């Protein structure tokens, strides 16, 4: 899958990608693509790669609305992290 391939290209081979939100609910159609990427990178490096990742992913899958949440070591857990973990699907 292009999402996983692109995530690992920019965030490392151990990057974990979770799809959540309306795209995991078959009864809902469309909507943006909500992703949480967990990486071993320090947050400053991951943030620097965020835009490059989004640009490359849109080149590969088309110009779609993508919401990206990054999670790096030492991050304070936010409510969106819990939502992604509880309702999301890990892309393999």
């Amino acid at each position: 899958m292009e999402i996983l391939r692109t995530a690992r290209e920019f965030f490392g081979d151990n990057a974990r990608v979770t799809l959540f939100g309306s795209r995991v609910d078959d009864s809902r159609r469309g909507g943006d693509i909500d992703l949480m990427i967990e990486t071993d990178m320090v947050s400053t490096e991951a943030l620097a790669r965020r835009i490059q990742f989004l640009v490359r992913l849109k080149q590969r899958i088309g110009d779609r609305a993508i919401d990206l949440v990054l999670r790096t070591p030492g991050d304070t857990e936010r409510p969106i992290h819990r939502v992604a973990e509880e309702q999301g699907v890990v892309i393999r």
Side-chain angles (χ1 to χ4, degrees):
M1 173 175 240
E2 293 299 322
I3 293 172
L4 183 59
R5 182 175 78 131
T6 306
R8 290 189 171 163
E9 181 180 329
F10 286 92
F11 299 106
D13 291 337
N14 293 327
R16 181 173 184 235
V17 181
T18 303
L19 176 69
F20 66 102
S22 62
R23 293 289 177 141
V24 295
D25 184 348
D26 288 338
S27 68
R28 297 169 68 185
R29 298 188 64 169
D32 57 357
I33 299 171
D34 297 307
L35 299 172
M36 178 171 72
I37 297 178
E38 298 173 77
T39 178
D40 296 338
M41 292 181 174
V42 295
S43 61
T44 54
E45 185 177 357
L47 287 172
R49 293 175 182 227
R50 183 179 192 278
I51 297 297
Q52 295 170 322
F53 164 79
L54 290 169
V55 168
R56 180 69 51 84
L57 184 58
K58 287 182 179 207
Q59 289 171 343
R60 291 179 174 163
I61 68 170
D63 189 19
R64 301 179 189 183
I66 302 169
D67 289 335
L68 175 60
V69 176
L70 290 174
R71 192 169 193 186
T72 60
D75 281 353
T76 301
E77 184 166 359
R78 301 182 330 204
I80 194 69
H81 295 149
R82 279 187 301 260
V83 169
E85 288 175 354
E86 292 170 4
Q87 300 174 8
V89 175
V90 175
I91 298 173
R92 298 185 191 281

